[in-house]
Amino acid sequence: MKVKVYVTLKKGVFDPQGKAVEDALHSLGFSGVGNVRVGKYIEMEINSTSTKEAERQTKEMCEKLLANPVIEDYSFKVEG
Amino acid sequence: MKVKVYVTLKKGVFDPQGKAVEDALHSLGFSGVGNVRVGKYIEMEINSTSTKEAERQTKEMCEKLLANPVIEDYSFKVEG
């Protein structure tokens, strides 16, 4: 099964990479852009026959490795 | 309007970060995981009244700054 994981910094955590991208976009003339936040997007294959089991595993992976739960939020989608 | 941009390495481009994450997941006991690829997930607000115009701007931002079209693919969603 294909899994897509999205990891973002929590609201209120300063995002210097997002700020740099925002400044660069302004310099390029995209003046209407704001609130840029940069996160991670992870794709993977899980060898599992049940969506429930794949979701359980993905949640565990996010909490143990993929995201830092102190400063990051995560969400994911399991595709059949 | 809220825009979500997903940037991934093209198929066939070696992804050392994905490989490192995959190895770490295996070490943690997630043996059924494979083909891990790590990309970027960018959220931003665009000051625009038309979805079409926001899409046009986002495409231009991806091509000029957010993605490297030589080695990366991108996709995005504009949310009203």
Side-chain angles (χ1 to χ4, degrees), chain A residues 6-8 17 20-21 24-25 28 30-48 57-58 60-61 64-66 77, chain B residues 6-8 17 20-21 24-25 28 30-48 57-58 60-61 64-66 77:
Chain A
Y6 311 92
V7 179
T8 49
Q17 196 184 354
V21 170
L25 287 169
L28 287 170
F30 299 101
S31 52
V33 174
N35 214 359
V36 179
R37 309 279 286 172
V38 178
K40 276 176 293 182
Y41 169 58
I42 302 154
E43 286 178 339
M44 62 181 114
E45 301 276 345
I46 297 189
N47 197 352
S48 162
Q57 276 195 42
T58 308
E60 203 182 329
M61 284 184 234
K64 285 194 175 160
L65 183 80
L66 303 178
K77 256 189 273 183
Chain B
Y6 311 93
V7 179
T8 49
Q17 195 184 356
V21 170
L25 287 170
L28 287 170
F30 299 101
S31 52
V33 174
N35 214 0
V36 179
R37 310 279 286 173
V38 178
K40 276 176 291 182
Y41 168 59
I42 302 154
E43 287 178 340
M44 62 180 114
E45 301 276 344
I46 297 189
N47 197 352
S48 163
Q57 277 195 41
T58 307
E60 203 182 328
M61 285 185 234
K64 285 195 177 162
L65 182 79
L66 303 178
K77 256 189 275 184

Side-chain angles (χ1 to χ4, degrees), chain A residues 44-74:
Chain A
M44 62 181 114
E45 301 276 345
I46 297 189
N47 197 352
S48 162
T49 46
S50 121
T51 306
K52 272 242 164 99
E53 173 58 18
E55 283 174 355
R56 195 196 56 73
Q57 276 195 42
T58 308
K59 189 163 186 285
E60 203 182 329
M61 284 184 234
C62 287
E63 280 171 13
K64 285 194 175 160
L65 183 80
L66 303 178
N68 174 352
V70 178
I71 54 166
E72 290 172 330
D73 288 323
Y74 63 85

Side-chain angles (χ1 to χ4, degrees), chain B residues 9 13-22 37:
Chain B
L9 281 170
V13 176
F14 180 62
D15 179 0
Q17 195 184 356
K19 181 72 175 65
V21 170
E22 188 171 322
R37 310 279 286 173

